[in-house]
Amino acid sequence: MPTVMAGPRTALAMRGLSKTYAGHLALDSLFLRIRAGEIHALLGGNGSGKSTTIKILAGVVTADPGGELVVGEGEPVGLHDWTPAKAQAAGLRFVHQQPAVFPELSIAENLALGAEFPRGLGGRVDWRALNARTAELLERYEIHASPKTPLAALRAADRCRVAIVRALQDRDDADSGVLILDEPTAALPAAEVEHLLEALRGYAAAGQTILYVSHRLDEVLSVADRVTVLRDGRKVDTVEAEGLTEADLIEMIVGRPLDRVFPAAPLDSTDDAALTIRGLRGGPLRGVDLTLRKGEVLGIAGLLGSGRSELLRMLFGAYPVEGGSVTLDGAEYAPGSPQAAMKAGVAYVPEDRQAEALLSGESIRHNLTAGQESSYFRKFLYRHRLERNDAQRSIGDFLIRVVSDTNPVETLSGGNQQKVVMARWLRRRPKVLLLDEPTQGVDVGARAEIYQLIRRATEQGTSVILVVSEPEELAHASDRVAVLRGGRITTVVERPIDAHKLTELMNIPQVAVGEGSS
Amino acid sequence: MTTRSKPRPETATGELPAQRAIDDPVVAQPDVPVVVAPGDAASRSVAASAGLLGTRILRQYSLVFLLVASFVLYSTWNKTSSVFLTGDSLRVMVAGQAVIGVLTLGILVTMVAGNFDLSVGNIAGLSQIMTATLYAKHGWGMWAGIVAGIAIGGFVGGINGLLVTILRVDPFIITLGTASAILGFIDWYTKDQSIVTGIPAGITHFGRNNFFGVPDIVWVLAIVAVVIYYLLEHTPYGRNLHAIGSNRAAARLVGIRVERSIAMAFVINGIFAGIAGVLMLARAGAGNPQIPPTLALTALAGAFLGAASFKVGRLNVPGTIVALLFLAVNITGLQYAGVANWINEMFTGLSLIFAIALAAVLSKERSVKKTRKSA
Ligand SMILES: Nc1ncnc2c1ncn2[C@@H]1O[C@H](COP(=O)(O)OP(=O)(O)OP(=O)(O)O)[C@@H](O)[C@H]1O
Ligand SMILES: [Mg+2]
């Protein structure tokens, strides 16, 4: 029994942390203390300053002068000359919101870049040892891939997991330092989230301190010891997680109580089919039959690798179709390219925002317009003012927190980038809208707003196919949910939809024909 | 959901202040929102933003400042002041930049979409010598020759574009290949003979005449600049090129015809190289099979250097113009100062290195973009 009464040790503490971006105060005199061995969750709305805090800790963003930082038993140091090397030496390990993984390199190389290449004779890279070590790590973290696979060949979720493994790889036995994760689960399906959380609990139990950012409140409550909430760059409070409810957290984050129930569907939705899919095959899909009714939100529930994303991509002409037929509004629909799909009135928000949706380096305004430029070009003049007005309207409608719409899109916080991508497509009033994880990284308040906007679109005749990993959210947001398993639609669940039921339906092990009768 | 035992000796309301003073080595500051004196945050923010604004302006216009500084230097330096600031010298200086200027502006079109064209110099050389041949050996009229020269540029650009988009090989390698093939062709076709007679007088006059005190070919450069600026910033096509350069996969998924746009960019690039070729002929008054080997690299240097000003980190027309003037002023100034001719290539080479280093530094600040681009 420990008898020391002086409370838990401090693993990491900072004081007076401020950051100004081009006249905009992103963090205001933040005070934060992480105890040794705890899992500390950092919460807050989009743009509240979570990633900024973490980037400052990592030394990749310079804080305004005046802030101080203490790691473990060390002396206080000024935060303005904190560097990545110092952070590394102090035992801080990071997985950033946009992890800096190198898509064209192999998994083994990506991991080695985070630690060190094992060396053989004469300093050459010992590839065999490297591959063996990587294989072992992949095994331990249950990533089913060979060490030599290029990262680009993995899907978003696995790329994210590799980034996590990279940060964790040399921290197996250390109980000093802090592991810092910025929305590690935003792109992960629910089943994998549980895996990851399990791993985090394991590390904490072994004495590892963890600072952790997430918008998934259930997950926070299940794993965190203490919670700090930020709002507009200021700390709202730090509280014990024990006994808290999601509603408490939402109130702290948003500043007011919020009804988490998403707007319900109008009951009189018609039986007219917007999209009829018959026997669609290709990739992991082995004959999908599905009907999307006009004006409904049809959820797709399925595990990682079930072919959810591929289904959407096929419908958008961005994935090869091997067979089957699709009709759109009664006419045959077989888009050979995204242009053809768009012409037919189909829109698609891809799962991987960074790699497939954002035009980084381009302004927010240009990102909103992307693909629609010709509608502003009349009589040989580009109507910039018209474009700006539309951009302003979308920024207002979608509650995007921007300083100016001419700033590069990468200066937005992650959730706000996602809203830009959503707005890009929703404002076109598509006939059919295909959404793959549309709310990843979006805070609770804005998430409800986004579903409201989707609802408003369906009232005007848009039909939506929605892929969301979190069963709870899927159940709330959909009118019907189709369960995709083994390359086919196994069931369609009507309202009222129960999240637990969905999880069960997705997870039933595949039973081969002829088995199980004895 | 798994619950974990929480052996922390604390309540939800936090610890006693005294305890905190012991366990918290930073300060005995309460774990509650820090109250900031009114005006404090605001004044801090204003001060910081003033500093930021300062560095931003400095960065945006650094090349303009350097241009003005070099200009003042050569106008006052006793070694150069007597000749530098005369109308004739300025005219010669700017006219000398017209050919490379048109090439540089043309190459922007491919570069914006994330591609390179190392063959522009040789395309210009080809259309120059072919136009001269059409005049001298086949008796073509002045305008027919000009159109043919420009069309040849567009044609070779089209070949580049098709190779790049169909074979999906790095444009760097493809255009290096076509550049060398063009040289071989010129060698074979001209048997290394210059064409000095039979060039229409109209075209050589055009190369020497002034219009409102400004050389005719500089007017051409100005028109080209306006056209490229319009194309890149004020047409849907230009915006699509920017999108492709930023994120090709995303561009495809918003319905941009990526391959077609890139192939088109090479054609446009070739057309402007063709125009540059005709200007070369007009200035020299003769067809020359010896193509200066550094044309394409100088164009690249100009474009990269241009990306360091105005819209920092983004290839842009005004920045490119300033970069071209900067190179011209310094090369001319140093030549007047009596430095030998080699300074021309030396200065361009160093500027290229400087520009690319700068681009690397700037892109590190936007590292997300770079790592994703290759995906
Ligand atoms: N490079 C930048 N330039 C200008 N402003 C920036 C930059 N990076 C972040 N900001 C601004 O700082 C604020 C805080 O951003 P931050 O990324 O820390 O938010 P966040 O809490 O992580 O949000 P999210 O949940 O959406 O990821 C935002 O208003 C954002 O627009
Ligand atoms: Mg963030």
Side-chain angles (χ1 to χ4, degrees):
Chain A
M1 284 302 300
T3 50
V4 186
M5 293 305 294
R9 280 187 306 122
T10 296
L12 181 71
M14 61 199 109
R15 177 178 72 148
L17 183 62
S18 296
K19 174 68 193 173
T20 315
Y21 280 119
H24 163 73
L25 199 57
L27 276 179
D28 189 359
S29 306
L30 186 67
F31 172 81
L32 190 63
R33 189 171 67 84
I34 320 289
R35 295 179 192 148
E38 78 171 341
I39 299 185
H40 194 112
L42 187 59
L43 306 184
N46 293 132
S48 59
K50 304 179 297 296
S51 297
T52 304
T53 308
I54 286 176
K55 285 182 202 155
I56 290 173
L57 282 176
V60 293
V61 163
T62 315
D64 294 350
E68 272 189 336
L69 177 75
V70 176
V71 183
E73 314 285 309
E75 289 294 303
V77 282
L79 262 173
H80 52 275
D81 56 18
W82 191 241
T83 62
K86 289 182 189 169
Q88 173 83 15
L92 306 187
R93 292 291 179 279
F94 297 87
V95 176
H96 289 288
Q97 189 165 9
Q98 277 115 33
V101 287
F102 300 91
E104 65 275 33
L105 298 184
S106 72
I107 298 178
E109 287 164 318
N110 267 284
L111 292 183
L113 286 173
E116 217 158 274
F117 284 93
R119 292 304 167 89
L121 219 58
R124 70 180 179 85
V125 175
D126 185 347
W127 289 104
R128 190 176 306 177
L130 175 61
N131 284 332
R133 193 186 76 190
T134 308
E136 186 194 310
L137 281 167
L138 291 178
E139 169 111 26
R140 175 138 42 93
Y141 290 94
E142 297 178 43
I143 299 175
H144 304 290
S146 124
K148 289 180 188 154
T149 317
L151 213 59
L154 298 181
R155 41 183 304 138
D158 286 341
R159 287 209 286 270
C160 177
R161 289 169 61 182
V162 170
I164 292 171
V165 173
R166 187 171 69 177
L168 293 177
Q169 56 185 343
D170 59 346
R171 300 225 47 90
D172 294 318
D173 32 38
D175 66 345
S176 64
V178 184
L179 173 64
I180 298 167
L181 305 160
D182 194 356
E183 295 197 43
T185 55
L188 293 191
E192 287 181 62
V193 169
E194 200 40 54
H195 261 95
L196 177 69
L197 297 187
E198 204 53 61
L200 293 186
R201 286 189 199 103
Y203 285 109
Q208 173 71 57
T209 312
I210 298 174
L211 175 65
Y212 169 78
V213 174
S214 179
H215 286 294
R216 295 187 171 184
L217 303 181
D218 53 342
E219 155 190 325
V220 166
L221 289 176
S222 88
V223 79
D225 297 303
R226 293 201 304 161
V227 176
T228 295
V229 176
L230 303 184
R231 199 190 307 146
D232 298 331
R234 291 172 182 235
K235 185 162 85 174
V236 178
D237 205 355
T238 297
V239 292
E240 293 284 325
E242 187 116 49
L244 278 184
T245 64
E246 279 188 40
D248 297 336
L249 284 179
I250 292 173
E251 194 167 343
M252 282 174 78
I253 293 169
V254 185
R256 63 193 149 83
L258 189 78
D259 195 1
R260 239 211 120 185
V261 179
F262 302 121
L267 286 170
D268 57 336
S269 70
T270 58
D271 276 352
D272 292 355
L275 204 63
T276 320
I277 304 168
R278 289 292 169 259
L280 192 64
R281 283 184 293 115
L285 299 185
R286 291 191 267 149
V288 167
D289 293 310
L290 195 60
T291 304
L292 174 66
R293 295 181 192 146
K294 275 216 173 83
E296 78 166 342
V297 177
L298 175 62
I300 306 282
L303 297 177
L304 176 68
S306 61
R308 308 171 304 184
S309 300
E310 287 80 359
L311 173 61
L312 297 193
R313 292 181 87 92
M314 280 183 201
L315 294 176
F316 195 62
Y319 194 93
V321 175
E322 280 157 25
S325 68
V326 183
T327 53
L328 175 65
D329 278 346
E332 194 189 328
Y333 170 69
S337 66
Q339 295 94 271
M342 285 168 63
K343 212 172 216 162
V346 178
Y348 169 59
V349 173
E351 178 183 10
D352 189 338
R353 178 175 68 226
Q354 286 299 324
E356 303 200 310
L358 274 196
L359 303 175
S360 33
E362 296 294 299
S363 67
I364 296 159
R365 189 192 297 173
H366 290 190
N367 265 276
L368 284 167
T369 311
Q372 265 180 316
E373 290 85 357
S374 33
S375 65
Y376 295 111
F377 192 63
R378 286 176 213 157
K379 298 206 183 107
F380 295 103
L381 282 182
Y382 199 91
R383 310 290 165 170
H384 291 282
R385 185 169 310 162
L386 217 60
E387 187 185 18
R388 186 186 64 204
N389 293 346
D390 282 354
Q392 297 296 359
R393 178 138 20 89
S394 296
I395 286 168
D397 283 351
F398 287 80
L399 311 171
I400 307 172
R401 275 186 57 144
V402 304
V403 177
S404 153
D405 68 346
T406 54
N407 283 351
V409 74
E410 64 270 20
T411 62
L412 292 184
S413 76
N416 283 304
Q417 293 174 4
Q418 183 68 21
K419 292 187 215 163
V420 168
V421 176
M422 281 295 291
R424 175 194 291 171
W425 289 106
L426 260 180
R427 67 185 197 169
R428 282 179 206 195
R429 311 245 172 113
K431 271 192 220 160
V432 172
L433 178 61
L434 310 169
L435 299 174
D436 202 346
E437 305 288 355
T439 57
Q440 52 170 305
V442 172
D443 67 45
V444 274
R447 192 170 298 203
E449 303 282 353
I450 283 188
Y451 282 113
Q452 227 140 34
L453 284 160
I454 293 174
R455 212 31 105 181
R456 205 187 296 163
T458 58
E459 274 159 19
Q460 292 166 352
T462 298
S463 317
V464 178
I465 299 186
L466 175 70
V467 168
V468 168
S469 294
E470 206 186 13
E472 197 78 32
E473 183 173 329
L474 189 64
H476 273 308
S478 314
D479 299 321
R480 296 186 301 152
V481 175
V483 179
L484 183 63
R485 193 157 49 79
R488 294 196 172 81
I489 299 293
T490 53
T491 349
V492 177
V493 183
E494 306 271 341
R495 264 177 193 274
I497 304 161
D498 177 50
H500 293 290
K501 177 103 177 294
L502 284 183
T503 318
E504 260 168 41
L505 285 170
M506 289 189 303
N507 283 300
I508 303 174
Q510 197 74 358
V511 182
V513 186
E515 248 179 59
S517 50
S518 56
Chain B
M1 304 265 124
T2 337
T3 40
R4 189 155 66 84
S5 66
K6 288 176 177 145
R8 315 263 177 257
E10 281 178 341
T11 62
T13 48
E15 319 97 306
L16 293 168
Q19 235 175 351
R20 187 183 287 113
I22 299 165
D23 76 58
D24 190 339
V26 176
V27 264
Q29 195 170 351
D31 248 18
V32 292
V34 181
V35 183
V36 183
D40 180 18
S43 64
R44 185 148 36 75
S45 143
V46 168
S49 76
L52 273 172
L53 201 67
T55 52
R56 208 174 73 197
I57 288 180
L58 207 68
R59 206 195 266 168
Q60 264 182 335
Y61 298 106
S62 52
L63 201 60
V64 181
F65 295 141
L66 282 177
L67 172 63
V68 173
S70 342
F71 200 86
V72 171
L73 172 72
Y74 298 120
S75 313
T76 49
W77 190 12
N78 57 14
K79 270 180 154 176
T80 53
S81 56
S82 55
V83 273
F84 186 79
L85 208 58
T86 62
D88 273 340
S89 129
L90 291 180
R91 266 193 284 275
V92 168
M93 184 176 83
V94 186
Q97 214 58 7
V99 168
I100 197 68
V102 171
L103 278 182
T104 309
L105 291 163
I107 209 175
L108 274 186
V109 179
T110 39
M111 285 175 72
V112 156
N115 284 275
F116 287 99
D117 188 346
L118 293 179
S119 65
V120 280
N122 293 357
I123 296 180
L126 177 69
S127 75
Q128 171 247 171
I129 195 79
M130 292 303 286
T131 310
T133 314
L134 289 176
Y135 289 142
K137 304 233 167 106
H138 303 276
W140 283 40
M142 186 179 92
W143 285 106
I146 291 175
V147 171
I150 296 173
I152 288 167
F155 176 74
V156 181
I159 294 178
N160 275 334
L162 286 181
L163 288 175
V164 166
T165 50
I166 292 175
L167 299 184
R168 292 169 190 273
V169 182
D170 195 333
F172 204 81
I173 294 162
I174 297 264
T175 57
L176 209 55
T178 40
S180 148
I182 291 170
L183 276 191
F185 176 82
I186 293 177
D187 224 20
W188 168 77
Y189 190 77
T190 62
K191 307 194 178 54
D192 215 13
Q193 299 290 308
S194 295
I195 296 167
V196 283
T197 53
I199 311 294
I203 207 164
T204 39
H205 273 144
F206 183 79
R208 308 222 168 95
N209 270 4
N210 295 333
F211 182 65
F212 284 112
V214 175
D216 283 354
I217 60 171
V218 174
W219 285 107
V220 174
L221 176 63
I223 293 168
V224 167
V226 171
V227 169
I228 299 281
Y229 174 67
Y230 171 79
L231 181 77
L232 290 183
E233 304 297 333
H234 300 281
T235 67
Y237 176 66
R239 289 276 297 275
N240 289 349
L241 290 180
H242 280 290
I244 294 169
S246 159
N247 185 340
R248 195 185 274 228
R252 204 183 302 280
L253 284 178
V254 294
I256 294 171
R257 292 173 200 269
V258 172
E259 270 69 39
R260 187 194 285 192
S261 304
I262 290 178
M264 223 17 234
F266 276 98
V267 172
I268 294 171
N269 190 166
I271 286 174
F272 283 99
I275 295 175
V278 173
L279 291 185
M280 267 162 104
L281 180 62
R283 250 174 79 75
N288 184 356
Q290 299 298 325
I291 319 292
T294 52
L295 284 176
L297 277 185
T298 314
L300 278 180
F304 272 124
L305 209 52
S309 37
F310 294 102
K311 290 183 183 166
V312 179
R314 201 168 192 262
L315 296 159
N316 64 87
V317 171
T320 305
I321 297 286
V322 172
L324 288 168
L325 287 176
F326 175 74
L327 291 178
V329 164
N330 281 286
I331 290 167
T332 317
L334 290 173
Q335 277 170 348
Y336 284 158
V339 186
N341 258 333
W342 50 258
I343 194 63
N344 191 329
E345 276 155 30
M346 179 88 155
F347 194 84
T348 311
L350 291 179
S351 305
L352 177 64
I353 294 171
F354 172 74
I356 289 176
L358 203 66
V361 170
L362 291 174
S363 72
K364 204 175 274 167
E365 289 176 10
R366 328 167 113 195
S367 53
V368 188
K369 179 173 172 175
K370 284 294 160 199
T371 47
R372 293 292 164 175
K373 217 170 177 173
S374 43

